Amino acid sequence: MNTQSTLHASVPVKSLLNNDNALYRKRSKINKVMLTLSSITLVFGLFWLFWIILTLLLKGGASLSFTLFTEITPGPGDSGGLANAILGSVLMSAVGTIIGTPIGIMAGTYLAEYGSRGWLAPATRFLNDVLLSAPSIIIGLFIYSLYVSNVGHYSGWAGALALSILVIPVVVRTTDNMLMLVPNSLREAAAALGCPKWRIVTMICYRAARSGIITGVLLAVARIMGETAPLLFTALSNQFMSWNMNAPMANLPVVIYQYAASPFKDWNELAWAGATLITLLVLGLNILARSLFRK
């Protein structure tokens, strides 16, 4: 150990970092190649992202007006907006988030704080990862067979239940990861002062991981705002302004799906406007989540 330290100390740093050193030249070339490839992939990804956003703004930006938020979806050839679809999406997303967030936070808390021993925590993490990557249409079919087929009709409650299942794994993963990042020294210091476990979690761990947990919730909301498949099997849609969650309810993803495939130009324009609105909302939520995470 001392011999190696003496050899390293005897070699000047400048002699290692010059073009006469073969190892330095090799690593420098590899670094330049990888940096070039990384830059190309970055530009490639950003190109498609900006192209999508630009296309949405060009085709749907003109339809983003006050009428879009105040009038309901029209019939063929009539003028109108997406007020009922926006209301339905907000209601179902809010209810789904309210249902899924506490379950996700409690499950993530168990995994990080109480699941250090035994097989339950690893099995739960595995199943949560499976649920996180499961196609959303499977969730819609599950809620359809479990709820819609038994009550005999589509409803906003069914749509909210489907969305809540999509919220849970995102919040579980984020809560688990954020609580695992809290230093154990904080827990040990509180325990040494006689603080019970539940108070350590609620008063110390949650406060330390608050930004990360909120980030997970915002990312979950951003995900469910654009989900179409589960709502086709649960909430379906309607053409009216409705606050009744126990009946079919209009929502932006399904309206966009229906109007984009229609032969009517005015419906196509509303579909572009709805797609632009959802994209801007999801983009804003992601930016907000990243900002909170940085803090």
Side-chain angles (χ1 to χ4, degrees), residues 179-191:
L179 290 176
M180 292 289 287
L181 292 177
V182 177
N184 282 328
S185 57
L186 295 178
R187 299 181 179 89
E188 292 170 356

Side-chain angles (χ1 to χ4, degrees), residues 121-132:
T124 303
R125 286 193 179 95
F126 173 76
L127 294 176
N128 186 75
D129 291 341
V130 172
L131 185 59
L132 187 63

Side-chain angles (χ1 to χ4, degrees), residues 207-273:
R207 289 186 178 183
R210 179 172 53 192
S211 297
I213 295 173
I214 295 174
T215 298
V217 176
L218 291 177
L219 292 176
V221 173
R223 179 189 177 186
I224 65 175
M225 286 299 295
E227 288 291 347
T228 306
L231 298 181
L232 282 170
F233 293 97
T234 53
L236 200 59
S237 186
N238 65 38
Q239 297 293 323
F240 309 102
M241 181 70 75
S242 174
W243 292 81
N244 184 13
M245 294 282 289
N246 200 36
M249 180 169 283
N251 54 87
L252 276 174
V254 174
V255 169
I256 292 170
Y257 169 77
Q258 294 173 341
Y259 281 18
S262 71
F264 306 109
K265 184 179 179 180
D266 52 346
W267 280 15
N268 295 153
E269 292 176 352
L270 284 176
W272 280 111

